Amino acid sequence: MKIARSLQSLKPSYIREILAAAKAPHMISLAGGLPAEDTFPMHILAPIMTQLARLPSLFQYGPTQGYGPLLAYCDQHFAYQPTHTSLITTGSQQGLDLIARAYLDAGDAIVMEAPSYLGALQVFELAQARILPVAQTSTGPDLTQLEAYFAKHSPKLFYAVPDFHNPTGVCWSHATREHVATLCQRYGVVLLEDAPYRELRFSGESLPMVSELCPEQAVVLRSFSKYVSPGMRVGVITGPERFICPLITLKQAADLHSSVPMQALLLETLMYSDFPQHLQAIRTLYQVRYQVLTGALAEQLPQCAATPIDGGMFVWLTLPRCDVEQLAAHLLQQGVAVVPGSVFYPADVDAPPCCAVRLNFTHAEPDTLVEGVSRMADVFAHIQE
Ligand SMILES: Cc1ncc(COP(=O)(O)O)c(C=O)c1O
């Protein structure tokens, strides 16, 4: 059977491929976006799972929109207005897919930050959207370019990760958040705010979500993957009913509903009395690992520059001019996996202006992070000989 035209041009995710290579023995992987397994709250999950196993009704088919008590929690914590509602998704990745299928026709213009989350690029390329890449600065998107896109192309949506961006770790400033909210309202562009890293702030002051500043013009994707467990595959999409209701119908056709036992497990975990302490411990652990990684980089690779961050899971390392994909291949041969920055740009965009790699600091132990940087320094020394 011939595959659909839309799928023919879709490249398999580079990260999934590199992650497969990164499983080799003695490989140090700084490539994936994996949380540390010792942050999974097993001590909280285990007794809850035993309790849930006594409730057969949870193992029955459930409602498409989500498990009622979890939806009530979402209304209380995430809805900005009484007219806002939520849909529980199978990870926030499914939220992206539903949005693309519900709202984008081939050729529709959308704006994305450049670089951008690879999983979102895949979804929007599959939907054959016309991607307008807005350059990123240290405080968020280039606002002049963003307004020019809004004015000239009337994009349907602006997809953005304002808190601890994947791959750059950038966190938008307060002023940028206000400006983007105003632009979305003025030009009638829907903001799709993807916020999987928001809870992982380990320094600096918390800023409002951009969607809070334009609640009628925004849809928010939340994920529990990075601070509860990615394998549970639970996310939630929240926004005005007029945007969410079509997604519920679409999800019926996609997978009927997300796993009810996993939704119940997630809810009980979030409500567990010690959960805030658990979350704080994750932040502290990641801050230490971030400091270890950036300390080793400053010492061993002074010719490279790591963009400073206040949270999230990634360091964006800018390198002296080089072929970054070839460099990543060399590093892989020497036993360290990183992601070349070039893969985070839409396929038809010209070569990115900078030469950078994305490094994950949350999964590897501190000693391993230091060893990974030593291996990188050896490869650099060899290249520069
Ligand atoms: C920006 C961004 N959005 C969405 C996702 C997908 O998360 P989930 O596990 O909830 O599907 C990721 C995962 O790495 C991500 O980095």
Side-chain angles (χ1 to χ4, degrees):
M1 190 159 44
K2 201 168 171 197
I3 58 170
R5 269 193 300 279
S6 57
L7 193 54
Q8 281 168 18
S9 57
L10 192 75
K11 289 184 292 182
S13 157
Y14 185 95
I15 296 188
R16 300 249 139 231
E17 287 179 13
I18 215 169
L19 283 182
K23 288 215 170 95
H26 312 301
M27 180 70 72
I28 292 180
S29 179
L30 309 181
L34 306 187
E37 269 146 47
D38 44 7
T39 65
F40 298 162
M42 305 316 290
H43 62 293
I44 302 179
L45 297 177
I48 301 172
M49 279 182 188
T50 309
Q51 279 168 25
L52 297 181
R54 296 196 195 104
L55 301 171
S57 62
L58 287 181
F59 294 78
Q60 188 52 278
Y61 283 114
T64 299
Q65 190 173 357
Y67 172 59
L70 181 60
L71 283 173
Y73 177 96
C74 294
D75 279 350
Q76 200 189 339
H77 290 85
F78 307 146
Y80 301 127
Q81 325 254 338
T83 53
H84 285 198
T85 192
S86 292
L87 166 65
I88 307 299
T89 53
T90 302
S92 58
Q93 187 68 27
Q94 187 184 40
L96 277 168
D97 181 53
L98 294 176
I99 286 277
R101 285 201 275 148
Y103 291 107
L104 297 180
D105 290 312
D108 278 348
I110 64 161
V111 180
M112 294 180 81
E113 293 161 289
S116 211
Y117 166 52
L118 199 54
L121 276 168
Q122 266 196 323
V123 165
F124 294 129
E125 282 175 357
L126 191 57
Q128 301 181 317
R130 186 158 54 95
I131 297 174
L132 307 170
V134 61
Q136 235 191 11
T137 73
S138 60
T139 54
D142 176 327
L143 296 169
T144 310
Q145 191 184 23
L146 188 68
E147 180 159 14
Y149 279 148
F150 282 11
K152 190 160 171 222
H153 299 280
S154 307
K156 266 201 176 151
L157 55 89
F158 173 28
Y159 167 78
V161 183
D163 288 291
F164 317 123
H165 185 265
N166 178 1
T168 61
V170 163
C171 185
W172 295 9
S173 67
H174 202 300
T176 297
R177 287 166 196 255
E178 282 178 343
H179 199 126
V180 170
T182 306
L183 290 180
C184 286
Q185 283 165 323
R186 186 179 308 150
Y187 290 94
V189 176
V190 172
L191 173 74
L192 180 54
E193 181 166 19
D194 191 3
Y197 304 105
R198 188 170 163 82
E199 278 72 18
L200 298 184
R201 174 182 284 282
F202 47 67
S203 59
E205 53 155 350
S206 179
L207 297 167
M209 293 188 74
V210 187
S211 47
E212 266 174 82
L213 307 171
C214 55
E216 286 310 309
Q217 204 52 41
V219 169
V220 183
L221 295 165
R222 286 187 175 80
S223 169
F224 304 96
S225 292
K226 309 301 182 181
Y227 65 100
V228 181
S229 144
M232 284 168 68
R233 307 303 306 129
V234 187
V236 56
I237 180 161
T238 307
E241 270 168 3
R242 68 185 192 285
F243 294 143
I244 303 297
C245 288
L247 304 179
I248 302 174
T249 316
L250 196 54
K251 185 171 161 73
Q252 267 170 20
D255 65 354
L256 303 183
H257 62 79
S258 298
S259 160
V260 184
M262 285 301 141
Q263 295 180 62
L265 182 59
L266 174 74
L267 176 64
E268 295 302 320
T269 305
L270 296 174
M271 298 203 320
Y272 188 78
S273 56
D274 276 355
F275 189 72
Q277 285 91 309
H278 172 74
L279 189 49
Q280 192 48 44
I282 298 178
R283 295 184 185 119
T284 306
L285 182 86
Y286 287 174
Q287 182 171 32
V288 169
R289 291 188 181 188
Y290 165 65
Q291 286 164 346
V292 167
L293 178 69
T294 47
L297 288 169
E299 202 176 299
Q300 302 199 52
L301 285 169
Q303 67 276 46
C304 304
T307 309
I309 54 163
D310 284 320
M313 297 175 69
F314 303 110
V315 162
W316 185 246
L317 187 71
T318 307
L319 316 161
R321 188 146 284 285
C322 65
D323 179 333
V324 78
E325 293 191 12
Q326 218 173 52
L327 174 76
H330 271 311
L331 289 169
L332 205 57
Q333 279 164 6
Q334 296 310 312
V336 56
V338 306
V339 188
S342 51
V343 305
F344 298 104
Y345 290 79
D348 53 359
V349 161
D350 293 339
C354 76
C355 182
V357 291
R358 189 193 77 175
L359 305 178
N360 167 265
F361 58 85
T362 57
H363 189 248
E365 301 274 342
D367 289 353
T368 312
L369 290 171
V370 174
E371 172 59 22
V373 174
S374 298
R375 291 185 191 181
M376 288 172 69
D378 287 346
V379 170
F380 268 68
H382 189 70
I383 286 176
Q384 284 165 355
E385 269 167 14

